[in-house]
Amino acid sequence: MKTITTDFEYLPATTLEEALELLSQHKDDEYRIIAGGQSLNTAMKHRLIAPEYIIDIKGLSDLDYIKFDAKRGLKIGALATHRSLEKSPIVREKYSVLCEMEENVASVETRNWGTVVGDLCNADPAVDPAAPLIALDAKLKVASKGKERIVPAEEFAVGFFETTVQPGEMATEIQIPVLPPNTGVYFTKYSQIHGDYALGSVAVLITLDKKKETCANARIGMSGVASTPIRAKKAEGVLKGKKITDEVLAAAAKVASEETSPISGIEASAEYKRELAGTLLKRVAKVALERAKKA
Ligand SMILES: Cc1cc2nc3c(=O)[nH]c(=O)nc-3n(C[C@H](O)[C@H](O)[C@H](O)COP(=O)(O)OP(=O)(O)OC[C@H]3O[C@@H](n4cnc5c(N)ncnc54)[C@H](O)[C@@H]3O)c2cc1C
């Protein structure tokens, strides 16, 4: 049996270049990046992982930002915490769904330390920010020494606690486009205890046509109902081009449930989670629709 040791070498970085250089010098299975440490410390404490090197990016103050530009939209740096997103006045004004989502992530203590990007990189299938980011058509910037690539939010997680981030790479930024006119977005999660990971969560973006009668565009993100957060493209197709009635919502909910692939756990069965996804979709889409009418 492999002995799990808690010894590691601590390698702090203060600039992105330094961090990328350190990443390039070590093998993926030897090191772990630490940002706020909220998930990493827990995994190490439980002896689930035992990295030889810890590359600390908390000192990369240049990546601790939330910026909005009327043309380019919102940018969230890798060191921005859940709490700073929750409390950001510009995010509340332009993307209130993100503040609403954050109010339900873990506890204030965890939100004060934990970064939004770190949460996505930890890749728990029920990670909260993923669903609204998918609905908002967000992308993540992933950097390595001398290179950068952009990944759509729905492609960032590739498996259970696994992301597209490769050896030598780190995620540096979330990018969210400006919302088109007549757009409403809403998110909700269902968990047994407030602040716990969700049994299921759904985010819906609806853009209405100029007359505000039919759905010109829809995007649906879901978490907790598959091995990764997912985009419910078929359910989006049910909403697009239609006047959104209760019947249309019921049809979209059925299709969205079918797009999930949950597993049974001690807290709920797969059937329950599948049903939950459809139920949440109906509720969330109704609020998104009302918001789109008022936008
Ligand atoms: C008690 C508790 C309850 C929680 N409840 C919820 C919840 O309800 N909903 C929810 O969404 N989350 C929840 N979380 C998760 C929490 O939000 C995350 O632990 C936190 O946001 C992770 O960010 P961090 O900066 O602490 O990352 P760390 O713990 O430092 O890192 C997490 C993982 O991401 C990697 N990593 C970090 N940053 C980067 C980067 N820039 N590039 C590449 N890899 C990186 C690390 O190597 C590590 O594998 C909970 C956590 C705790 C401890």
Side-chain angles (χ1 to χ4, degrees):
M1 197 174 81
K2 193 180 170 204
T3 309
I4 300 276
T5 156
T6 50
D7 291 343
F8 57 83
E9 197 175 327
Y10 174 71
L11 304 169
T14 51
T15 64
L16 179 60
E17 289 68 34
E18 246 176 68
L20 296 178
E21 182 61 41
L22 285 169
L23 291 172
S24 73
Q25 287 168 5
H26 297 93
K27 286 194 216 133
D28 183 44
D29 56 352
E30 293 173 346
Y31 74 78
R32 284 298 170 116
I33 292 173
I34 192 167
Q38 297 301 292
S39 290
L40 190 80
N41 287 347
T42 311
M44 288 176 69
K45 204 163 79 181
H46 291 292
R47 308 280 196 269
L48 296 172
I49 50 167
E52 286 172 52
Y53 302 94
I54 298 276
I55 299 176
D56 187 356
I57 61 167
K58 190 73 180 167
L60 272 61
S61 48
D62 284 0
L63 294 188
D64 185 2
Y65 58 80
I66 295 173
K67 300 183 216 168
F68 178 75
D69 176 289
K71 283 196 179 127
R72 293 184 188 150
L74 190 70
K75 293 189 173 174
I76 303 167
L79 268 300
T81 62
H82 289 291
R83 190 69 167 164
S84 53
L85 191 62
E86 178 191 349
K87 293 293 175 191
S88 160
I90 192 72
V91 177
R92 178 85 48 188
E93 185 191 326
K94 304 285 182 188
Y95 305 88
S96 59
V97 67
L98 292 177
C99 300
E100 293 160 353
M101 174 274 294
E102 286 295 357
E103 285 160 3
N104 293 290
V105 171
S107 60
V108 172
E109 292 81 358
T110 300
R111 298 205 293 277
N112 272 333
W113 276 98
T115 58
V116 184
V117 168
D119 204 8
L120 296 169
C121 290
N122 185 51
D124 188 296
V127 54
D128 284 322
L133 290 174
I134 291 170
L136 290 167
D137 196 12
K139 297 186 171 50
L140 278 102
K141 197 198 274 183
V142 176
S144 56
K145 214 178 145 185
K147 283 190 202 148
E148 266 179 11
R149 63 190 178 99
I150 301 291
V151 183
E154 62 263 36
E155 291 170 21
F156 189 70
V158 296
F160 198 64
F161 291 96
E162 206 186 335
T163 71
T164 176
V165 176
Q166 297 298 309
E169 289 186 326
M170 62 175 273
T172 55
E173 185 179 80
I174 302 169
Q175 305 174 339
I176 308 174
V178 175
L179 293 182
N182 304 342
T183 296
V185 201
Y186 191 56
F187 160 88
T188 203
K189 77 189 248 190
Y190 179 75
S191 55
Q192 283 164 333
I193 299 170
H194 178 84
D196 258 8
Y197 276 109
L199 290 183
S201 67
V202 174
V204 178
L205 173 145
I206 290 175
T207 302
L208 293 172
D209 67 352
K210 281 190 189 146
K211 292 183 181 167
K212 296 197 175 184
E213 282 171 4
T214 57
C215 172
N217 190 27
R219 290 184 63 96
I220 301 170
M222 301 199 281
S223 287
V225 292
S227 58
T228 65
I230 56 170
R231 180 175 166 200
K233 279 191 185 171
K234 290 181 187 160
E236 291 173 6
V238 175
L239 298 177
K240 280 184 207 171
K242 304 219 181 69
K243 183 174 162 54
I244 299 180
T245 59
D246 285 349
E247 291 69 36
V248 170
L249 283 180
K254 184 169 179 293
V255 171
S257 295
E258 288 162 5
E259 287 185 86
T260 67
S261 48
I263 50 167
S264 295
I266 44 167
E267 69 295 333
S269 66
E271 289 72 26
Y272 179 92
K273 291 181 190 174
R274 207 171 284 126
E275 191 70 27
L276 179 66
T279 304
L280 291 180
L281 177 73
K282 275 188 273 188
R283 288 183 197 166
V284 172
K286 273 189 184 173
V287 180
L289 178 62
E290 287 314 307
R291 288 183 171 187
K293 285 179 184 167
K294 289 183 193 149

